[in-house]
Amino acid sequence: HAPTQVQQLVQTVAATAAGVPPESVFVHTTYLGGGFGRRLEGDFVPAAVEAMKAVGRPVKLVWTREDDTTHDLYRPAAVQRCAAGWGADGKLAAWRFEICAPSPLARWAPGAIEQFGGVDPFSVEAAANYPYAVPNVRVTYLQHELGLDVGFVRSVSHATNCFAVESFMDELASAARQDPVEFRRSLLGPAQTRFLNVLDRAAERAGWRTGPASRAGGAQGVALMEGYGTYLAMVANVAVDDGRMRVTKITCVVDCGQMVNPSIVESQVQSSIVFGLTSALWGDITIEGGRVQQQNFDTYRLLRLNEMPELDIELVVSAEAPGGIGEPATALVAPAVANAVFAATGQRIRSLPFAKHGLA
């Protein structure tokens, strides 16, 4: 009995630990609690089976939070490099995006990468599907392993790549002396109706404004992305006082196609934003002497109730095919907040978490 997203994997590792054929193992899937990528692993199953064999009766295995935090499969560290060029007509003519990161798929499913032409598709999300109409686009990925097992995290590589792409789009808008929303709108072709719709709705719903003049009411930043067939635009309101940042409101417009239960969809978007905000503000794992330093919530900071911003979420009624909703909203939080910080202070945040910059 286990909370798992990968029943076949759990069946296989349990059978191996028990010394029986896989067909002798039946996996009872319990309530998941939270998945977030961790439930794609089966590393906790063999220990329970070994303990059962040793005592001859069922064993309930519960990891302490310290065990879980210090022996996890962590989100891949990533470095991205962006470049762009303007044409003689003053329009964006070229865009280049380089990614260097380890591959969670290479460990999780060895050999599977060959099916995708040698490139881990979970490492180039929110990059390979760059939405803007630029004549020359080049995206490259260099797989570089760090000697540390990495795994999947909610939104997978959307989180790292969307942060780089949408932060850089804001830098380009600033270089072009254009409003960040208008700059993005000008680069969305006529076929990108779903992108345009969520962007326009989010800007209108948030009462979009730009620049330091809005500091008193909280400066705003925007981010735009498609993930798993879902189109999203997000506006973050941020107030910065005495160098400290407070996220006061997040507006998110979501077009995930057809919905069976909009209430569940909204709940997923809300929880994705909370998850993404915690990660962007404080999510950091450090290793000293081969040992993870963060062990519990006293050293791995989470968003607290009194720090929760106001959330305003609109779900677009659509007849399009259903898209995924459990993950993509997480990815837009960091760039939207970072772009709002720039609007408020003129400071560009090019690395996460915000705590490393003294802002959280």
Side-chain angles (χ1 to χ4, degrees), residues 331-349:
L332 289 86
V333 177
V337 171
N339 293 336
V341 169
F342 174 76
T345 68
Q347 178 185 4
R348 284 288 180 196
I349 304 299

Side-chain angles (χ1 to χ4, degrees), residues 151-165:
F152 301 101
V153 70
R154 191 173 192 174
S155 84
V156 198
S157 61
H158 285 100
T160 52
N161 293 335
C162 182
F163 172 67
V165 169

Side-chain angles (χ1 to χ4, degrees), residues 88-133:
D89 57 0
K91 296 181 179 180
L92 200 60
W95 188 86
R96 188 177 69 218
F97 189 57
E98 300 171 345
I99 307 165
C100 180
S103 164
L105 188 63
R107 175 197 61 82
W108 192 76
I113 293 179
E114 296 177 6
Q115 303 174 23
F116 301 100
V119 176
D120 180 356
F122 297 110
S123 294
V124 296
E125 295 168 322
N129 54 337
Y130 181 71
Y132 302 104

Side-chain angles (χ1 to χ4, degrees), residues 56-286:
R57 61 179 184 269
V59 170
K60 180 179 181 179
L61 173 68
V62 180
W63 283 12
T64 66
R65 185 167 291 123
E66 287 78 7
D67 283 338
D68 193 15
T69 304
T70 57
H71 298 89
D72 208 340
L73 290 304
Y74 305 103
R75 183 179 82 177
V79 173
Q80 293 97 343
R81 184 162 55 193
C82 308
W86 308 95
D89 57 0
K91 296 181 179 180
L92 200 60
W95 188 86
R96 188 177 69 218
F97 189 57
E98 300 171 345
I99 307 165
C100 180
S103 164
L105 188 63
R107 175 197 61 82
W108 192 76
I113 293 179
E114 296 177 6
Q115 303 174 23
F116 301 100
V119 176
D120 180 356
F122 297 110
S123 294
V124 296
E125 295 168 322
N129 54 337
Y130 181 71
Y132 302 104
V134 179
N136 305 284
V137 175
R138 179 178 175 86
V139 177
T140 60
Y141 166 64
L142 173 64
Q143 180 183 334
H144 180 68
E145 300 302 325
L146 304 175
L148 179 72
D149 283 341
V150 296
F152 301 101
V153 70
R154 191 173 192 174
S155 84
V156 198
S157 61
H158 285 100
T160 52
N161 293 335
C162 182
F163 172 67
V165 169
E166 284 299 291
S167 294
F168 189 54
M169 290 302 294
D170 244 54
E171 297 201 30
L172 293 176
S174 179
R177 294 182 173 84
Q178 293 185 32
D179 174 270
V181 169
E182 291 301 324
F183 181 71
R184 286 170 172 81
R185 186 182 284 122
S186 71
L187 291 170
L188 292 170
Q192 301 282 38
T193 54
R194 297 178 76 183
F195 273 117
L196 284 164
N197 185 44
V198 293
L199 180 61
D200 288 343
R201 284 172 177 257
E204 180 180 1
R205 196 173 183 96
W208 173 256
R209 57 189 185 277
T210 60
S214 64
R215 288 180 191 174
Q220 293 182 314
V222 65
L224 183 69
M225 192 192 81
E226 177 272 324
Y228 308 121
T230 292
Y231 296 74
L232 313 95
M234 185 176 292
V235 175
N237 288 47
V238 169
V240 180
D241 299 307
D242 296 326
R244 303 304 294 273
M245 175 184 69
R246 185 168 58 89
V247 182
T248 58
K249 183 179 180 180
I250 290 181
T251 303
C252 187
V253 175
V254 180
D255 176 3
C256 62
Q258 299 175 47
M259 295 174 284
V260 174
N261 189 328
S263 295
I264 292 179
V265 173
E266 185 175 11
S267 295
Q268 287 294 322
V269 176
Q270 291 170 341
S271 64
S272 291
I273 292 172
V274 175
F275 189 94
L277 195 52
T278 279
S279 179
L281 294 175
W282 300 288
D284 197 22
I285 292 292
T286 55

Side-chain angles (χ1 to χ4, degrees), residues 29-43:
T29 306
T30 62
Y31 286 122
L32 201 63
F36 315 131
R38 186 64 178 92
R39 310 296 191 175
L40 290 172
E41 306 297 336
D43 54 341

Side-chain angles (χ1 to χ4, degrees), residues 6-60:
V6 281
Q7 287 79 3
Q8 291 99 324
L9 175 65
V10 167
Q11 182 186 47
T12 300
V13 298
T16 301
V20 300
E23 58 267 24
S24 296
V25 177
F26 187 89
V27 179
H28 298 267
T29 306
T30 62
Y31 286 122
L32 201 63
F36 315 131
R38 186 64 178 92
R39 310 296 191 175
L40 290 172
E41 306 297 336
D43 54 341
F44 52 93
V45 173
V49 175
E50 293 285 356
M52 179 203 69
K53 287 171 60 180
V55 301
R57 61 179 184 269
V59 170
K60 180 179 181 179

